[in-house]
Amino acid sequence: MIWSLQAAADLTEKQFDQWSKLLEERAGICLSDQQRVFLQTQVSMRMRELGHTDYSQYYNRVVDGVSGMMEWSVLIDRLVVKETSFFRHKPSVESVRKHLQNRINNDTLDGAFEVWSVGCSSGEEPYSLSMVINDCFSLARRDPYYGVTATDISRAALTIARNGIYPQRKVEMLDPHVRQHYFTQLENGRYQIAPELKDRICFNHANVLNINEMPSAQLDVIFCQNLLIYFRRWLRHEIMNAFVERLKPGGILVVGLGEVVDWANPDVERVTKDEVQAYVRKAG
Ligand SMILES: C[S@@+](CC[C@H](N)C(=O)[O-])C[C@H]1O[C@@H](n2cnc3c(N)ncnc32)[C@H](O)[C@@H]1O
């Protein structure tokens, strides 16, 4: 029987530990024992593409120097959960609209309105944020003066994000107003994001574990949803503290509801609202 038709061998306990340790060290993602089959399937599929039959041999290839790093960047794309959608958690996205509206109404905008979407996957999240931000500036009849930085560890997801073209199923659930205003339907039935939004977003490859190496630009909004959930509690807390350092006074940090518990930082206070987990940076 040729290898491509053979079922993958089961990962041994030791091999599972080795691979899951690597994933946690390099991406922060902590797999449970129940995810053994997932890990095995993804790793073995990639091995099959390369003609490897032995998990340990492939592991050695992945950890070996520069070529190993290149292989890792392909593999990591298979190991992350990239599920996302436009306005995935609507109350959180709307909290950004409300925040910006208040800032515009109270005339407290200080330079460009800067946003960071962390773990942006294929772009639906930063595009949704851009839509509400654009709406706010249009409503106030002001020039849209904002920028969104969107980062992810998956290069494949970032390619889709930069392309900004989505299948109909991703767009059909949106408000007709949003669809008409921010998308153009292409001849093949797919939908293309409006250039006015695309031009505002800078998509970058970045691992959130390296946050301390990133320039500490001062941001008005840090939006991080459905990412920290994969990390250990101490790591979530560490990253939250690093986020706070990157917020402007008055800026907000919006995380997935319930994704971070037992965390507090003296420089921020929780914006009281049950359905959104957001924190505002105190002045001065
Ligand atoms: C489930 S998606 C969430 C996408 C979007 N934030 C949302 O809520 O719809 C998680 C994303 O986090 C990314 N990710 C996982 N580990 C990461 C890391 N260490 N650094 C940066 N991005 C990471 C994945 O590639 C994936 O695109």
Side-chain angles (χ1 to χ4, degrees):
M1 190 186 279
I2 56 172
W3 163 246
S4 62
L5 298 178
Q6 277 178 342
D10 284 345
L11 276 171
T12 63
E13 198 74 37
K14 198 167 153 229
Q15 287 165 335
F16 175 71
D17 285 350
Q18 191 180 42
W19 279 103
S20 45
K21 203 165 154 233
L22 187 70
L23 183 61
E24 186 170 354
E25 266 171 23
R26 291 193 172 179
I29 298 165
C30 183
L31 290 183
S32 67
D33 224 29
Q34 288 74 40
Q35 287 161 302
R36 179 189 294 258
V37 176
F38 164 78
L39 181 70
Q40 181 177 303
T41 308
Q42 299 307 318
V43 173
S44 64
M45 269 168 53
R46 180 61 186 155
M47 281 167 50
R48 195 172 299 201
E49 286 168 16
L50 297 172
H52 280 285
T53 53
D54 182 89
Y55 288 109
S56 303
Q57 200 186 45
Y58 178 54
Y59 179 91
N60 290 336
R61 174 172 177 172
V62 169
V63 296
D64 184 27
V66 176
S67 65
M69 284 315 290
M70 283 162 72
E71 177 52 26
W72 171 251
S73 86
V74 175
L75 183 64
I76 187 64
D77 174 58
R78 316 279 178 97
L79 298 179
V80 288
V81 176
K82 288 174 286 184
E83 186 191 331
T84 187
S85 54
F86 290 105
F87 292 87
R88 181 172 185 181
H89 186 244
K90 203 163 183 203
S92 294
V93 180
E94 289 303 324
S95 74
V96 174
R97 186 195 301 275
K98 197 169 159 209
H99 174 77
L100 177 56
Q101 267 167 353
N102 285 339
R103 299 272 299 272
I104 291 176
N105 293 343
N106 299 331
D107 209 11
T108 56
L109 276 184
D110 163 22
F113 189 70
E114 297 288 352
V115 178
W116 182 17
S117 161
V118 193
C120 65
S121 189
S122 39
E124 290 87 332
E125 178 180 284
Y127 285 126
S128 305
L129 294 169
S130 296
M131 289 173 203
V132 299
I133 296 167
N134 210 69
D135 284 353
C136 290
F137 280 112
S138 307
L139 200 69
R141 295 179 194 283
R142 288 178 58 160
D143 284 339
Y145 192 33
Y146 73 95
V148 179
T149 302
T151 57
D152 203 279
I153 202 171
S154 162
R155 292 184 193 275
L158 288 167
T159 300
I160 298 171
R162 288 190 187 107
N163 213 11
I165 297 177
Y166 296 93
Q168 183 171 2
R169 68 180 164 77
K170 286 252 173 189
V171 176
E172 65 195 0
M173 305 303 283
L174 290 171
D175 266 12
H177 150 80
V178 171
R179 205 168 46 228
Q180 279 155 22
H181 200 81
Y182 292 118
F183 292 88
T184 306
Q185 190 168 16
L186 303 175
E187 279 176 6
N188 59 10
R190 293 163 74 85
Y191 284 80
Q192 182 165 39
I193 280 281
E196 63 185 304
L197 299 185
K198 217 170 157 197
D199 293 348
R200 296 274 161 190
I201 307 180
C202 181
F203 288 102
N204 286 318
H205 179 253
N207 184 341
V208 74
L209 296 195
N210 300 336
I211 185 168
N212 288 321
E213 292 163 21
M214 294 179 197
S216 55
Q218 294 298 288
L219 295 148
D220 293 285
V221 177
I222 299 178
F223 199 89
C224 181
Q225 303 220 312
N226 303 297
L227 167 57
L228 298 176
I229 190 95
Y230 299 104
F231 298 171
R232 288 191 196 271
R233 181 183 289 211
W234 66 265
L235 183 57
R236 297 180 202 190
H237 292 186
E238 233 175 52
I239 292 173
M240 289 290 280
N241 289 333
F243 284 156
V244 170
E245 282 176 26
R246 282 154 181 80
L247 273 183
K248 283 183 193 166
I252 54 164
L253 164 60
V254 187
V255 295
L257 190 60
E259 278 188 71
V260 181
V261 290
D262 301 335
W263 173 82
N265 180 303
D267 294 331
V268 288
E269 57 194 355
R270 174 99 188 242
V271 178
T272 48
K273 205 157 179 241
D274 292 342
E275 50 181 357
V276 175
Q277 190 165 344
Y279 303 83
V280 62
R281 178 146 191 177
K282 296 176 190 167

